[in-house]
């Protein structure tokens, strides 16, 4: 019998703190700014916030390079602010899920400062040192090995050279991490999002990075040491996960994590790499989403549901229509995603239809991944235009422009100069206008709260034309049909079902031989029998 959990009911909201709301005019979002927007989030109806890192950090990777896990970065506020955020959110039935970044630290973490002093330092084996590099590459371009002159060895960094990888084979590392996790659990947080957690089992000499042999042993040890007995949401970021692996992470019986972020629907739309440009294939999208729905059945695992985050281009620009059909395509993606089984995640600004924000020069690019890739690409013969086009299509800054609150200066994000320019379309696209995208998300969140069929119903795909994503949900003898034309083209949909009651969206007169306008989407209960 499935044990019901609070994270079966809620929709989560991801905040990238640097870009959400500035409260002190320094142009950088901060925790007091987040507190000032909790009523907005409460009106949307979300039940939890995934808070991207706010810990002490030199900000080489905007906080995913942590120098002190138990301190708050001064630009984001104080520990008192953090405790107030947890308390104020709790008053609104919103839990705070912290970002756990433990595959690596910053090179300014006390452990690394010690470790690099000498080969015999007690913290040396908190990290991964070798006399010679092997072929491992960094996600942020170049070799994954950095030579350190002081002790004439290389250290491993799967991300920036200022993000040295922790050595999880070292029991002292694991115990130090679990101790830190308990520090945060004791503060009353709602759980953890676990950054690239599939990498902590790496075997560098075998050039194994994801899904190492001890990964699940570490996660079960972590669960026992820091998670068990607390009613926490834990979601692992696992870029290469398959449904089989997802069951290992999220089957309740295994006591590891609540769920994972799988990225198959994202990477399926890339050419050989994301920089080679991405495209949107509806047939691929619906096949992948359908597979994950049918493979994870609540008893054997749990899906997360997302199309946006701080690392991805805005879905309306990448896959939708961010021009004349911006509202319709936003509603269609929201509807077909949120009525699936799993926990949906809204990324800040998604609920008002924010879009990509193109640059014209490389000097405007902040993100280290984009900057490192650009330097590499220019060296290997790509033109400036090609590099700018790649960054404008899939660069991470697209998701990191300030939240667009209203039509006042800097979209109400800051009274100062924003750390990254506000998208010029903020006068037209902002939360003050609320508008139909926001209302669609509000209604979807309310529907989830009120209807167990969304949380626990069965899923089956419904035959439909290539650009139409249609599926049935079945729960306690009732059936619900969800249909979304995910294209700019008119399409058709035919079903023998009769519409008993439209729940959301624009349902056609009849479900038999219906003509669907571009981005038309709806959900309805259908007659059974
Ligand atoms: O991201 C993991 C990661 O690899 C992404 O950077 C992703 O692979 C890339 O953007 C796609 O090309 C996590 C965090 O979400 C990201 O913000 C951090 O930069 C990274 O880990 C290192 O902590
Ligand atoms: Ca600020």
């Amino acid at each position: 019998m499935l044990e019901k959990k609070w994270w079966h009911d809620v929709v989560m909201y991801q905040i990238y703190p640097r870009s959400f709301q500035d409260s002190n005019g320094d142009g950088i979002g901060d925790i007091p700014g987040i507190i000032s927007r909790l009523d907005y989030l409460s009106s949307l109806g979300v039940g939890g916030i995934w808070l991207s890192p706010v810990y002490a950090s030199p900000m080489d990777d905007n906080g995913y390079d942590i120098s002190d896990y138990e301190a708050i970065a001064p630009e984001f506020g104080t520990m008192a602010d953090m405790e107030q955020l947890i308390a104020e959110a709790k008053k609104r039935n919103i839990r705070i899920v912290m970002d756990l970044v433990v595959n690596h630290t910053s090179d300014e973490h006390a452990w690394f400062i010690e470790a690099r002093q000498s080969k015999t330092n007690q913290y040396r084996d908190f990290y991964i040192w070798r006399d010679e590099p092997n072929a491992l590459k960094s996600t942020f371009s170049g070799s994954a090995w950095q030579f350190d002159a002081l002790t004439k060895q290389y250290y491993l960094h799967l991300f920036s050279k200022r993000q040295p990888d922790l050595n999880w084979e070292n029991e002292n590392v694991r115990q130090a991490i679990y101790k830190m996790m308990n520090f945060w659990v004791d503060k009353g947080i709602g759980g953890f999002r676990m950054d690239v957690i599939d990498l902590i089992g790496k075997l560098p000499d075998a050039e194994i990075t994801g899904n190492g042999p001890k990964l699940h042993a570490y996660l079960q040890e972590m669960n026992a040491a820091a998670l068990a007995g607390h009613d926490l949401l834990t979601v692992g970021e696992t870029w290469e996960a398959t449904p089989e692996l997802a069951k290992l992470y999220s089957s309740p019986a295994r006591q590891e994590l609540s769920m994972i972020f799988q990225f198959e629907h994202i990477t399926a739309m890339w050419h050989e790499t994301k920089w080679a440009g991405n495209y949107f294939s509806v047939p691929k999208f619906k096949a992948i989403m359908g597979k994950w729905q049918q493979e994870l059945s609540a008893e054997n695992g749990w899906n997360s549901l997302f199309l946006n985050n701080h690392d991805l281009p805005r879905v309306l620009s990448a896959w939708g229509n961010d021009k004349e059909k911006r509202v319709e395509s936003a509603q269609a993606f929201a509807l077909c995603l949120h009525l699936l089984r799993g926990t949906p995640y809204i990324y800040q600004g998604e609920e008002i239809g924010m879009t990509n924000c193109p640059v014209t020069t490389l000097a405007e690019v902040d993100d280290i991944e984009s900057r490192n890739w650009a330097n590499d690409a220019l060296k290997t013969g790509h033109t400036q235009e090609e590099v700018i086009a790649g960054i404008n299509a899939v660069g991470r800054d697209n998701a990191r422009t300030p939240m667009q609150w209203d039509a006042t200066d800097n979209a109400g994000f800051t009274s100062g100069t924003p750390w990254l320019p506000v998208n010029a379309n903020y006068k037209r696209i902002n939360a003050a206008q609320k508008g139909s995208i926001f209302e669609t998300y509000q209604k979807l969140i309310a529907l989830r709260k009120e209807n167990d069929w969304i949380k626990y119903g069965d899923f089956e795909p419904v035959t439909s034309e290539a650009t139409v994503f249609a599926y049935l949900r079945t729960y306690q003898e009732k059936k619900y049909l969800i249909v979304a034309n995910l294209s700019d083209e008119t399409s058709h949909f035919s079903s023998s079902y009769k519409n008993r009651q439209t729940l959301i969206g624009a349902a056609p007169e009849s479900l038999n031989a219906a003509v669907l306008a571009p981005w038309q989407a709806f959900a309805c209960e259908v007659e059974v029998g």
Side-chain angles (χ1 to χ4, degrees):
M1 182 56 194
L2 181 72
E3 188 188 349
K4 294 195 174 182
K5 297 284 185 183
W6 64 269
W7 35 267
H8 291 162
D9 298 338
V10 302
V11 172
M12 295 294 292
Y13 189 91
Q14 183 194 353
I15 289 178
Y16 194 71
R18 199 173 190 82
S19 307
F20 191 64
Q21 176 66 66
D22 174 21
S23 71
N24 61 354
D26 67 357
I28 299 172
D30 48 52
I31 295 170
I34 297 172
I35 293 171
S36 75
R37 294 292 183 180
L38 286 173
D39 287 338
Y40 167 83
L41 295 175
S42 187
S43 75
L44 179 57
V46 297
I49 292 169
W50 156 22
L51 182 61
S52 277
V54 289
Y55 318 97
S57 165
M59 301 295 169
D60 186 57
D61 186 14
N62 288 352
Y64 282 91
D65 50 317
I66 296 166
S67 55
D68 185 343
Y69 289 102
E70 297 181 11
I72 300 297
E75 55 264 64
F76 291 141
T78 65
M79 186 57 83
D81 292 329
M82 189 64 227
E83 289 160 355
Q84 191 191 356
L85 172 59
I86 294 168
E88 285 300 318
K90 194 180 178 87
K91 285 180 192 164
R92 297 163 174 85
N93 292 321
I94 296 174
R95 291 171 166 89
I96 300 293
V97 170
M98 298 295 275
D99 210 319
L100 185 74
V101 187
V102 292
N103 173 68
H104 48 271
T105 68
S106 161
D107 62 354
E108 292 187 18
H109 194 289
W111 296 339
F112 190 72
I113 292 169
E114 280 292 318
R116 71 192 319 180
Q117 295 309 315
S118 82
K119 293 183 183 176
T120 55
N121 184 285
Q122 62 170 327
Y123 287 98
R124 187 71 173 184
D125 288 342
F126 266 53
Y127 297 90
I128 298 165
W129 301 89
R130 294 293 184 275
D131 289 331
E132 291 303 328
N134 63 19
L136 281 177
K137 292 282 177 261
S138 160
T139 301
F140 293 169
S141 306
S143 168
W145 298 96
Q146 175 64 25
F147 184 70
D148 208 41
L150 196 60
T151 56
K152 297 194 179 13
Q153 276 199 311
Y154 293 81
Y155 63 84
L156 180 70
H157 62 89
L158 293 182
F159 293 94
S160 90
K161 60 184 62 156
R162 302 202 58 201
Q163 292 169 292
D165 278 55
L166 281 167
N167 172 18
W168 271 76
E169 294 201 72
N170 181 344
E171 163 92 27
N172 296 328
V173 168
R174 304 202 303 273
Q175 292 309 323
I177 295 298
Y178 304 153
K179 181 169 174 293
M180 172 272 288
M181 291 174 71
N182 277 292
F183 169 87
W184 284 106
V185 172
D186 291 349
K187 288 202 178 290
I189 63 170
F192 294 102
R193 176 266 186 182
M194 298 188 183
D195 192 63
V196 289
I197 202 67
D198 59 338
L199 301 180
I200 63 172
K202 67 180 75 79
L203 296 177
D205 301 325
E207 297 186 14
I208 292 170
T209 50
N211 300 309
K214 294 181 187 165
L215 171 60
H216 294 282
Y218 294 156
L219 289 175
Q220 287 167 17
E221 183 185 63
M222 175 193 282
N223 187 298
L227 306 172
H230 305 284
D231 193 11
L232 303 174
L233 178 160
T234 49
V235 51
E237 181 196 27
T238 55
W239 273 82
E240 286 109 40
T242 61
E244 277 322 299
L245 289 173
K247 291 171 192 167
L248 297 181
Y249 288 107
S250 64
S251 161
R254 289 176 55 89
Q255 298 190 4
E256 290 187 17
L257 305 178
S258 314
M259 66 190 89
I260 58 163
F261 288 135
Q262 61 87 6
F263 288 83
E264 188 178 353
H265 59 307
I266 300 294
T267 56
M269 312 300 176
W270 296 353
H271 296 299
E272 54 286 359
T273 72
K274 77 175 189 181
W275 299 109
N278 68 351
Y279 59 95
F280 183 48
S281 155
V282 183
K284 272 191 178 182
F285 178 70
K286 59 194 196 182
I288 291 167
M289 300 309 277
K291 176 179 74 173
W292 280 85
Q293 287 289 300
Q294 293 182 306
E295 291 269 356
L296 294 189
S297 65
E299 279 72 20
N300 68 3
W302 190 259
N303 271 296
S304 66
L305 305 166
F306 72 96
L307 299 174
N308 287 290
N309 70 24
H310 65 293
D311 291 331
L312 299 175
R314 293 276 181 180
V315 75
L316 297 188
S317 303
W319 295 357
N321 176 327
D322 63 3
K323 311 258 178 314
E324 70 286 348
K325 288 290 180 186
R326 184 180 65 85
V327 173
E328 294 84 348
S329 62
Q331 291 173 314
F333 276 119
L335 193 150
C336 74
L337 185 78
H338 277 247
L339 296 178
L340 292 169
R341 182 175 60 227
T343 302
Y345 289 72
I346 299 170
Y347 177 64
Q348 66 183 47
E350 172 183 338
E351 77 279 14
I352 57 169
M354 280 177 63
T355 66
N356 275 2
C357 187
V359 297
T360 50
T361 67
L362 287 178
E364 298 165 70
V365 177
D366 171 82
D367 172 31
I368 185 160
E369 179 189 57
S370 295
R371 281 189 284 109
N372 286 4
W373 171 75
N375 292 338
D376 246 17
L378 290 170
K379 277 189 213 135
T380 54
H382 290 272
T383 66
Q384 183 97 351
E385 291 68 30
E386 285 167 344
V387 167
I388 295 283
I391 288 172
N392 285 341
V394 296
R396 303 192 302 179
D397 285 349
N398 280 306
R400 300 173 179 187
T401 61
M403 178 70 184
Q404 296 166 199
W405 293 106
D406 55 41
T408 64
D409 288 353
N410 294 311
F413 164 70
T414 180
S415 57
T417 304
W419 70 279
L420 193 66
V422 176
N423 194 319
N425 61 22
Y426 74 91
K427 288 190 189 299
R428 182 167 52 84
I429 300 172
N430 62 67
Q433 289 178 343
K434 288 278 196 296
S436 53
I437 301 174
F438 183 88
E439 280 144 15
T440 297
Y441 276 92
Q442 251 179 340
K443 181 145 192 192
L444 288 166
I445 295 169
L447 277 174
R448 174 172 292 271
K449 275 182 195 145
E450 294 146 18
N451 292 279
D452 277 359
W453 68 265
I454 300 175
K455 301 167 214 169
Y456 304 113
D458 289 337
F459 168 97
E460 61 184 286
V462 168
T463 308
S464 57
E465 289 194 353
T467 65
V468 176
F469 183 18
Y471 57 88
L472 262 183
R473 301 292 312 276
T474 303
Y475 189 71
Q476 294 177 348
E477 287 84 52
K478 289 189 175 179
K479 285 189 180 296
Y480 305 85
L481 175 67
I482 293 89
V483 180
N485 175 8
L486 298 179
S487 78
D488 282 324
E489 321 306 326
T490 297
S491 192
H492 305 83
F493 177 76
S494 236
S495 158
S496 55
Y497 284 112
K498 299 265 179 301
N499 179 349
R500 186 168 187 284
Q501 182 195 5
T502 298
L503 300 170
I504 186 169
E509 274 304 299
S510 154
L511 295 178
N512 181 5
V515 176
L516 297 179
W519 304 102
Q520 183 175 346
F522 64 94
C524 58
E525 184 183 345
V526 292
E527 303 286 354
V528 178

